[in-house]
Amino acid sequence: MPRQVDHDARREEVATIAADLIAERGLEQVSLRDVAAAAGYSTTIVTHYFASKRELLRHAYRSAVHRTEQRVAAIAPDSPDRLLALCEAVLPLDDERRRSWQTWFAFFGAAISDPDLAAMQRRYVHAHRRALAAAIAADHSAVAPAGPGPAGETARALLATVHGVAAEAVFDPEDWPPDRQLQVVRNAITALRE
Amino acid sequence: MPRQVDHDARREEVATIAADLIAERGLEQVSLRDVAAAAGYSTTIVTHYFASKRELLRHAYRSAVHRTEQRVAAIAPDSPDRLLALCEAVLPLDDERRRSWQTWFAFFGAAISDPDLAAMQRRYVHAHRRALAAAIAADHSAVAPAGPGPAGETARALLATVHGVAAEAVFDPEDWPPDRQLQVVRNAITALRE
């Protein structure tokens, strides 16, 4: 009997390798052939999973989002610092998270002219904003009642700050060491509590 | 005598047209030939000004930054709302500013793997942060002395929020109408004053 191939696992594996290659070189410099070579598969196998570069980019984006979701899932639901931890899950505080942002920036460059990719990005933002809003509503320091607006609006502003810090930090890691990223986000969280 | 050609003006003109094409279609879908056709010049003339697509992208980025600088220059130095106006100059509040952000996102996608492009982006962020810090230091409501930190740190956090709002709004204009963008930024400025 032929050996059973787990296609979903293999597709995910190739998408992860593609995400890292795109993060490193930029979208234009990565071909399906490059991904195949890096993964150790033939180009035929890779094109079996991803019909086009656009399809590959979509999965590479999902792969980076998936790693973020795993970091979020690892946060204890009753952690007293859940709000900060949710922000940390997205910030480029180490190589892995910086790589995720580099994949996303390659994706953003394509998403400006691709409604489907832009819709994926909107869904990700809304989901993470909802997670922040839930954490604000459940916060032990009672952010929401004392804060300047409903949890949704507060979460919107906090996530925008996190995304702005991240967007600047990706291109300027020296100017944005982890401590400084965290300081700006901690200040934003403290401001919600006042 | 042959007619005198203003090469600088023509290069700027072509860069502006390229910036708009890139904003509309994404970097991958724009060739030097497309830019020539849109500008009404031969490809030979366009390649005389821009030796490569990367060179063209660099100038398209500068063209979008230049339009932002013109908006900043139009703000009265003694305007009581100078701080908000400096933020408004960058936010995607209308089609022109949204187009600038689309050009920038195409640029960011290339900048992740190009140290020169990344350095351009750092210079822009630092310059705008300095402008914000000067406005905070000169603010009539005395933000800086009463604020949570020195003007530079305050400007850093404010600009990060502006960039985060912009980055989300580019892909989700319905979720981020101009009023909502301004509300988040006004709240951030108010928070500096408390």
Side-chain angles (χ1 to χ4, degrees):
Chain A
M1 254 181 67
R3 195 161 60 101
Q4 200 68 24
V5 173
D6 182 340
H7 288 291
D8 286 344
R10 197 184 263 186
R11 183 181 283 113
E12 176 65 21
E13 179 202 356
V14 174
T16 304
I17 288 166
D20 286 344
L21 272 186
I22 291 169
E24 198 182 301
R25 302 185 194 169
L27 183 62
E28 278 199 304
Q29 313 301 323
V30 177
S31 65
L32 288 171
R33 181 192 297 244
D34 294 331
V35 173
Y41 293 125
S42 70
T43 307
T44 311
I45 287 184
V46 169
T47 52
H48 169 75
Y49 292 122
F50 305 105
S52 68
K53 217 170 133 178
R54 190 52 52 107
E55 188 66 19
L56 182 68
L57 180 62
R58 215 186 303 269
H59 278 81
Y61 174 89
R62 282 214 190 97
S63 165
V65 167
H66 183 61
R67 283 188 257 184
T68 303
E69 287 170 347
Q70 285 175 321
R71 281 191 292 274
V72 168
I75 305 166
D78 57 349
S79 160
D81 264 340
R82 184 166 170 81
L83 195 48
L84 181 62
L86 282 169
C87 296
E88 286 175 338
V90 191
L91 288 169
L93 296 170
D94 58 18
D95 282 347
E96 183 184 296
R97 280 169 280 185
R98 202 170 303 119
R99 218 159 39 235
S100 288
W101 274 96
Q102 290 177 322
T103 306
W104 285 328
F105 270 112
F107 177 91
F108 294 157
I112 57 168
S113 60
D114 186 319
D116 286 351
L117 298 186
M120 285 176 70
Q121 173 60 12
R122 286 196 290 276
R123 279 195 295 275
Y124 152 73
V125 170
H126 293 183
H128 207 72
R129 194 189 285 158
R130 276 195 303 273
L132 282 184
I136 289 170
D139 192 274
H140 295 298
S141 317
V143 169
E153 291 307 297
T154 313
R156 171 189 293 272
L158 179 58
L159 187 57
T161 297
V162 168
H163 284 157
V165 168
E168 291 189 13
V170 168
F171 296 110
D172 208 345
E174 283 182 31
D175 185 48
W176 282 105
D179 280 357
R180 200 169 263 165
Q181 295 181 41
L182 288 171
Q183 194 52 52
V184 170
V185 171
R186 273 202 207 95
N187 288 346
I189 292 174
T190 304
L192 300 184
R193 288 179 171 143
E194 275 162 359
Chain B
M1 258 182 65
R3 199 159 60 100
Q4 200 67 26
V5 172
D6 182 340
H7 288 292
D8 286 345
R10 198 183 263 183
R11 185 182 282 113
E12 177 65 22
E13 179 203 355
V14 174
T16 304
I17 288 166
D20 286 344
L21 271 186
I22 291 168
E24 198 181 301
R25 302 186 195 167
L27 184 61
E28 277 198 306
Q29 312 301 323
V30 176
S31 65
L32 289 171
R33 182 192 295 245
D34 295 331
V35 173
Y41 293 125
S42 70
T43 308
T44 311
I45 287 185
V46 169
T47 53
H48 171 73
Y49 293 121
F50 306 104
S52 67
K53 214 169 135 180
R54 191 50 54 108
E55 188 67 18
L56 181 68
L57 180 63
R58 216 186 302 270
H59 278 81
Y61 174 88
R62 283 214 190 96
S63 165
V65 166
H66 183 61
R67 284 188 255 184
T68 302
E69 287 169 347
Q70 286 175 322
R71 281 192 292 273
V72 168
I75 305 166
D78 57 349
S79 160
D81 263 341
R82 186 168 168 79
L83 195 50
L84 180 62
L86 282 169
C87 296
E88 286 174 339
V90 192
L91 288 169
L93 297 170
D94 58 18
D95 283 347
E96 184 184 296
R97 281 170 277 186
R98 201 169 302 121
R99 217 158 40 234
S100 289
W101 273 97
Q102 290 177 321
T103 306
W104 285 328
F105 271 110
F107 178 92
F108 293 157
I112 57 169
S113 60
D114 185 320
D116 287 350
L117 298 187
M120 286 177 68
Q121 173 61 10
R122 287 196 290 276
R123 281 196 294 276
Y124 152 73
V125 169
H126 293 183
H128 207 74
R129 195 190 284 160
R130 277 196 300 275
L132 282 183
I136 290 171
D139 192 274
H140 296 296
S141 317
V143 169
E153 291 307 297
T154 313
R156 173 190 291 272
L158 179 58
L159 187 56
T161 297
V162 168
H163 284 156
V165 168
E168 291 189 12
V170 168
F171 295 111
D172 209 345
E174 283 182 30
D175 185 48
W176 282 104
D179 279 358
R180 200 169 263 166
Q181 295 182 41
L182 288 171
Q183 194 53 51
V184 169
V185 171
R186 273 203 207 93
N187 288 347
I189 291 176
T190 303
L192 300 183
R193 289 181 170 141
E194 274 161 2

Short mmCIF file of all heavy atoms in Angstrom, two decimals, chain B residues 42 58 129 131 171:
data_model
loop_
_atom_site.label_atom_id
_atom_site.label_comp_id
_atom_site.label_asym_id
_atom_site.label_seq_id
_atom_site.Cartn_x
_atom_site.Cartn_y
_atom_site.Cartn_z
N SER B 42 7.28 57.84 -24.30
CA SER B 42 7.79 56.53 -24.73
C SER B 42 8.46 55.84 -23.55
O SER B 42 8.90 56.49 -22.60
CB SER B 42 8.79 56.70 -25.86
OG SER B 42 9.98 57.29 -25.34
N ARG B 58 11.06 54.15 -5.63
CA ARG B 58 11.69 55.10 -4.73
C ARG B 58 11.14 56.52 -4.97
O ARG B 58 10.80 57.23 -4.03
CB ARG B 58 13.20 55.10 -4.98
CG ARG B 58 14.08 55.27 -3.79
CD ARG B 58 15.53 55.41 -4.21
NE ARG B 58 16.01 54.26 -4.98
CZ ARG B 58 16.58 53.17 -4.45
NH1 ARG B 58 16.77 53.10 -3.16
NH2 ARG B 58 16.99 52.18 -5.21
N ARG B 129 7.90 62.75 13.35
CA ARG B 129 7.88 62.70 14.81
C ARG B 129 8.47 63.99 15.39
O ARG B 129 7.96 64.54 16.36
CB ARG B 129 8.66 61.48 15.30
CG ARG B 129 8.41 61.14 16.75
CD ARG B 129 9.38 60.08 17.22
NE ARG B 129 9.04 58.74 16.73
CZ ARG B 129 9.92 57.73 16.66
NH1 ARG B 129 11.19 57.92 17.02
NH2 ARG B 129 9.55 56.55 16.22
N ALA B 131 8.46 66.91 13.95
CA ALA B 131 7.47 67.98 13.73
C ALA B 131 6.39 67.93 14.81
O ALA B 131 5.98 68.97 15.36
CB ALA B 131 6.86 67.85 12.33
N PHE B 171 -7.43 49.59 4.61
CA PHE B 171 -8.08 48.35 4.18
C PHE B 171 -9.54 48.28 4.63
O PHE B 171 -10.23 47.31 4.32
CB PHE B 171 -7.31 47.13 4.72
CG PHE B 171 -5.93 47.04 4.13
CD1 PHE B 171 -4.82 47.27 4.91
CD2 PHE B 171 -5.78 46.77 2.79
CE1 PHE B 171 -3.54 47.20 4.36
CE2 PHE B 171 -4.51 46.71 2.22
CZ PHE B 171 -3.40 46.93 3.01
#
